[in-house]
Amino acid sequence: MRHRLLGVMLAAAVLATASVLSAHHSVAGQFDLSKQVTLKGVVSKVDWVNPHIYLHLDVKGDDGRVVTWSLGTVPTAMARRGGLTRESIAGASGEVVTVECNPARNGTEHLGWVKTITYADGRRYELSGR
Amino acid sequence: MTHRLIRRWLPAAACAAAIVAPAALTAQAPPRGSAELLAQLSAKATPRLSGKPDLNGTWDHLGGIEFIRPTKLPDGSVCIRGCAPPAGAPRPVPAPAAAPRPAAAPPAPLFPKYKPEFLAKVKDLSARQVETDSGLRCMAPGLPRLGPPGKIIQTAKEVVFLYDDVNGAFFRIIPVDGRKTYRKDMPASYLGDSIGRFEGDTLVVETTNFNDDTWLTDNGAFHTTDLKVVERLRRVGDTIEYTATSHDPAVLVEPWNSKPYTMWITSQELEEPARCEDRDLDHVVDGTHHDNPR
């Protein structure tokens, strides 16, 4: 019965979508999965595009200068399966979120792959494993 | 780190279980895509339309992302991938059993069998897939890589296949009016030109006039413009058994049967897929890619 309970709980979280995934390049080919960067900033824009959603995170440095990071994450169909929307990923206007991400392997600055996003209310999106 | 995850997910998971328990006690529907569900649906009567099997409907086949098993907790937290199992929680329920293959379909080899003189080309294309695979650049994936249609609209004279693919929204218009010849002066295309016919209760779709920009599957599985793809769709109750066979004798040793599917009817309507816009490939430092054969 307990197994059945968890199964129902998981099933309840699943949104039906019919989109099909293409073959795609490896995340490890683009991002250094052995390194992790933690950012605090405001999501200024979410590009709800395939094959990967990209969010823009405005991060204020110690010198007060704001730098915008471009952060890739899961395809839209996967986000939908988890019940995530452009709005839920963006958070409230001006909300400071914490993002754990992997940096680009080719040295491109301010480019990363989202691992987790934690919002001011404590909710946390784990998007790419640990 | 582990302790932090346990502290975070355990109370929430317990809470979620409590919330869903009443529903669980009454929930009887087998999991989406499970063999049990497909058995129930295939046992139903097969609807007919003008004497032919009625293929109309929106059809689910788990969309190729059946491996995604998200968890969503009451505090709004969501884990899409790599989710840590809550401490003390029951073991995760295994993914739904694979849909049974049509009895007539032989097991699908993972890769087409190429003539020896083309193996080096396949190897080279595969090694450079990030550069050479148009499917990675938001182009139509071609057949059979596109997989089964997400929705079918059927009239007495034509059948329309609709797709909401990660690479875009695609359609195919397939005449079933008895014609034997393909349209003339049509440019070669990603999804080709199709003619359909019913053989008993099976819709057979033969497609030619492809360009050679697409692959049959991952890893350099190129084809020529002489490719012919034969798809068979057999409605069984509220399911459709779908197979596709690729014929390209100039480069293949034998016709290739790609992965067969069992689709089942769903009330979940197709959606316009998000715009496909690759922003990644220019930043890939090596040729690594993951396989996701359709």
Side-chain angles (χ1 to χ4, degrees):
Chain A
M1 177 55 81
R2 295 187 71 197
H3 287 196
R4 191 171 182 82
L5 283 175
L6 182 60
V8 172
M9 183 174 73
L10 292 175
V14 173
L15 286 176
T17 60
S19 296
V20 177
L21 280 184
S22 291
H24 204 50
H25 68 86
S26 166
V27 172
Q30 184 180 0
F31 299 99
D32 187 344
L33 304 184
S34 70
K35 295 178 181 172
Q36 181 171 310
V37 177
T38 301
L39 306 168
K40 283 186 184 295
V42 174
V43 179
S44 55
K45 187 181 177 190
V46 176
D47 293 331
W48 190 258
V49 296
N50 283 317
H52 295 130
I53 298 166
Y54 265 83
L55 58 99
H56 302 256
L57 188 73
D58 291 347
V59 179
K60 185 180 288 187
D62 293 338
D63 59 359
R65 193 169 63 97
V66 174
V67 172
T68 300
W69 281 68
S70 184
L71 300 167
T73 184
V74 294
T76 58
M78 287 190 194
R80 293 270 289 127
R81 281 210 173 192
L84 305 184
T85 64
R86 182 201 300 254
E87 291 73 26
S88 68
I89 291 174
S93 178
E95 178 179 0
V96 176
V97 304
T98 302
V99 175
E100 296 172 314
C101 65
N102 305 116
R105 279 179 63 183
N106 70 351
T108 300
E109 291 188 327
H110 313 126
L111 175 67
W113 180 254
V114 176
K115 289 166 63 72
T116 68
I117 310 173
T118 303
Y119 295 82
D121 64 1
R123 78 181 191 280
R124 175 183 169 95
Y125 297 160
E126 295 187 27
L127 302 178
S128 301
R130 290 158 292 122
Chain B
M1 178 66 171
T2 303
H3 288 171
R4 196 175 62 189
L5 286 171
I6 290 172
R7 282 200 305 275
R8 165 156 200 88
W9 289 95
L10 177 57
C15 228
I19 288 170
V20 300
L25 293 174
T26 56
Q28 298 297 324
R32 180 175 171 233
S34 65
E36 185 184 359
L37 175 67
L38 296 182
Q40 285 183 11
L41 294 175
S42 62
K44 293 187 174 183
T46 299
R48 306 190 77 79
L49 183 71
S50 303
K52 307 294 185 189
D54 184 357
L55 304 177
N56 282 295
T58 306
W59 299 91
D60 191 358
H61 63 282
L62 291 179
I65 54 175
E66 61 270 27
F67 58 94
I68 296 299
R69 310 278 291 171
T71 55
K72 187 175 181 182
L73 301 182
D75 71 347
S77 293
V78 174
C79 180
I80 301 272
R81 303 192 69 178
C83 311
R91 295 171 66 83
V93 175
R101 287 175 173 164
L110 294 177
F111 202 74
K113 192 178 292 184
Y114 283 85
K115 293 180 177 179
E117 59 267 36
F118 297 107
L119 294 178
K121 178 175 180 178
V122 171
K123 186 177 179 181
D124 175 64
L125 290 172
S126 180
R128 299 185 297 113
Q129 179 158 344
V130 169
E131 304 165 37
T132 58
D133 183 1
S134 65
L136 299 186
R137 299 183 185 276
C138 298
M139 307 301 283
L143 299 181
R145 208 176 181 191
L146 182 56
K151 187 179 181 79
I152 298 175
I153 300 168
Q154 178 183 356
T155 70
K157 292 188 174 180
E158 65 187 15
V159 179
V160 179
F161 286 179
L162 303 177
Y163 303 82
D164 62 344
D165 189 82
V166 71
N167 280 21
F170 305 112
F171 67 88
R172 297 166 61 201
I173 299 172
I174 302 157
V176 290
D177 55 2
R179 74 181 66 185
K180 303 293 184 190
T181 55
Y182 292 90
R183 291 178 288 179
K184 299 189 185 306
D185 302 324
M186 290 295 295
S189 61
Y190 287 88
L191 300 178
D193 197 20
S194 300
I195 294 177
R197 67 180 184 277
F198 280 92
E199 291 183 357
D201 279 355
T202 300
L203 172 64
V204 180
V205 181
E206 296 196 7
T207 307
T208 63
N209 202 21
F210 293 101
N211 64 34
D212 57 1
D213 290 348
T214 65
W215 290 355
L216 303 175
T217 184
D218 281 358
N219 300 323
F222 76 97
H223 61 79
T224 73
T225 54
D226 291 333
L227 170 68
K228 180 172 78 172
V229 176
V230 180
E231 298 160 282
R232 293 177 179 273
L233 295 88
R234 187 167 79 100
R235 178 157 186 170
V236 181
D238 276 349
T239 69
I240 290 178
E241 296 168 349
Y242 173 92
T243 64
T245 304
S246 300
H247 302 259
D248 198 350
V251 294
L252 298 183
V253 172
E254 60 191 17
W256 180 58
N257 296 312
S258 46
K259 177 184 173 183
Y261 293 89
T262 298
M263 307 139 66
W264 59 97
I265 204 154
T266 177
S267 59
Q268 179 75 30
E269 194 49 275
L270 260 59
E271 300 173 2
E272 178 183 342
R275 181 180 80 248
C276 187
E277 179 183 308
D278 179 75
R279 301 180 182 187
D280 305 311
L281 296 181
D282 289 345
H283 298 285
V284 174
V285 298
D286 59 29
T288 56
H289 58 272
H290 59 74
D291 299 341
N292 190 5
R294 293 163 183 268

